[in-house]
Amino acid sequence: MAYLKKSPWLLHYDASSCNGCDIEVLACLTPLYDVERFGIINTGNPKHADVFVITGGINEMNRQVVKNIYAQIPDPKVVVAVGVCATSGGVFRECYNIAGGVDQVIPVDVYVPGCAARPESIIDGIVTALGILEEKRTKMKEQEGSA
Amino acid sequence: MSKEIVIPFGPQHPVLPEPIHLDLVIEDEKVKEALPSIGYVHRGLETLVEKREFPEYVYIAERICGICSFIHGATYCQAVETLMNVEVPERALYLRTIWSEYSRLHSHLLWLGLFADGMGFENLFMDAWRLREHVLDDLEATTGGRVIQGSCKVGGVRRDIDAAKLDEMSNGLDGFRGELADLVDVFLNDSSVRSRLKNVGVLSKHDAYADGAVGPVLRASGVASDARMLGYAAYGNLHFKPVVEEGCDCYARCAVRAKEMYASIDLIKEAVQKIPDGPIEVKVTGKPDGEYFARAEQPRGEVVHYVKGNGTRHLARHRVRTPTITNVPPMVKMLAGCELADVPVIVLSIDPCIGCCER
């Protein structure tokens, strides 16, 4: 992808992360890493978002919250699971309240490794997700055209 | 005749990086009552003591929270070491103190940023986080991790910092102090910031004490209480004085944290001067038996780690009382009677760390 045609907005939700990945997601938005220069904005409104960035594993309390937020984000959308907890439950996978990674409840497009995930890998993950978002958008257009 | 309505706040909310839910009972624009509910980030990690041996569990203890990570790990180690009568080398205690104070710097800068964002001052948020990167650079250079350090172990620390690096860190803090002064000046003297914070979320000295507030929330209400006064790790050998403010409002809580950063810089510089040579760890043999409460000062207030051993490699119980959970009842008191638009500022003023709080 040589350049971005659109300004993707992201929504961040902390499922059951220890905060480590959350603060690194926020660090991506601040001056040293500054993803805002690509037009990426962290929004609080699911209906404005294109990219769902989620940290931490799924527990009984947030299962429905995650599903609700996902359902509210308009298509096309991509989900980025940041950190090893969002991927598989991580060090907490054996805890009684952790059901596992985010893919237990919603489809995940990109997995970002790390505990805590480094800002560089988070940015890499989001850029990969933007490529997938573009593919999804093209596919949606084709389907609309053939319908 | 006004009508009461209930406004849900969270768990997913623009001003909260972490999920907490509040039901705000509103009459006109005034909050009559705030009813918190928690549990969105509960993992149940304390039970992992049954599955991880006590030296390995340090990694789990650090991951109670990614902001207060180092101090959680160090306090857990402190608890187990006392239980097992381990004599930790002096140099390791100084290194723990230095890293703890760096953690406090990064946490307070993080909070100042989020607080600025909460009151709608985005430029200030960005500036605080820009400055925070200097602290993270030093943490990463000395421990290998930005937010989760993993440099503490039962019996000492995993890594040493050589004299040249210690000097470089100490000198670096001089320039940092100048930049910090510019930032703090905006928080404490800017008229729009003052108007958002002064007389907002007042918590009287009596209420703060009676409701069990800890850390900056308690100290901003005029009570000089800081677990570092206990002199654990190397604090006993350093000149430490708690920062106390009498304002009882959001502005005072902001001022306590701002001034604590200067105190942290002084502590680090003093520790660098006084740090003795010697080993950084001792070999730990045996199995923990008995029980112990270890107390330490987190950026958010006093944390208590309780450990109970049963004579095996696995602890029988580990329990943490984190500062945020004890600061929730004072927060509920601050919210009663406030204006709806001030809710984000008041909630953020206790520096909520839900990751710690629910574990």
Side-chain angles (χ1 to χ4, degrees), chain B residues 155-177:
Chain B
V157 292
R158 233 167 261 284
R159 278 168 186 249
D160 202 353
I161 311 179
D162 61 35
K165 181 65 193 169
L166 280 173
D167 280 343
E168 189 194 318
M169 284 158 72
S170 176
N171 294 336
L173 285 174
D174 291 331
F176 176 79
R177 189 196 294 264

Side-chain angles (χ1 to χ4, degrees), chain A:
Chain A
M1 180 171 39
Y3 63 95
L4 296 177
K5 287 184 198 150
K6 305 231 156 85
S7 297
W9 286 15
L10 58 88
L11 179 97
H12 162 234
Y13 183 71
D14 167 5
S16 69
S17 153
C18 72
N19 274 344
C21 296
D22 301 312
I23 58 179
E24 294 295 52
V25 167
L26 283 180
C28 292
L29 300 160
T30 55
L32 184 68
Y33 299 99
D34 197 16
V35 293
E36 289 195 359
R37 67 202 145 118
F38 304 127
I40 297 175
I41 288 181
N42 184 19
T43 172
N45 186 339
K47 304 215 170 185
H48 295 171
D50 307 288
V51 185
F52 187 14
V53 176
I54 181 159
T55 54
I58 294 301
N59 69 20
E60 290 315 310
M61 195 77 168
N62 67 33
R63 186 182 287 268
Q64 198 55 43
V65 179
V66 170
K67 279 188 192 165
N68 285 350
I69 297 173
Y70 180 77
Q72 287 183 68
I73 300 176
D75 282 321
K77 57 191 160 196
V78 281
V79 177
V80 183
V82 171
V84 72
C85 296
T87 303
S88 68
V91 291
F92 305 123
R93 71 191 174 282
E94 290 171 85
C95 291
Y96 58 81
N97 204 29
I98 293 291
V102 175
D103 50 13
Q104 301 280 325
V105 290
I106 55 170
V108 174
D109 298 285
V110 181
Y111 296 92
V112 176
C115 178
R118 293 183 59 86
E120 290 89 346
S121 17
I122 297 173
I123 295 171
D124 189 39
I126 289 175
V127 170
T128 312
L130 297 182
I132 299 172
L133 185 67
E134 207 52 49
E135 278 170 28
K136 285 189 178 176
R137 186 175 286 127
T138 318
K139 206 178 258 176
M140 258 177 76
K141 273 206 181 126
E142 281 169 11
Q143 281 169 350
E144 275 166 19
S146 62

Side-chain angles (χ1 to χ4, degrees), chain A residues 95-96, chain B residues 42-51 57 60 64 315-322 356 358-359:
Chain A
C95 291
Y96 58 81
Chain B
H42 178 60
R43 289 151 274 166
L45 60 85
E46 286 166 354
T47 52
L48 284 182
V49 284
E50 295 164 8
K51 292 175 179 146
Y57 187 79
I60 309 288
I64 289 172
L315 290 171
R317 185 81 170 94
H318 173 233
R319 167 98 174 92
V320 192
R321 200 226 48 194
T322 59
C356 277
E358 301 182 356
R359 307 180 290 282

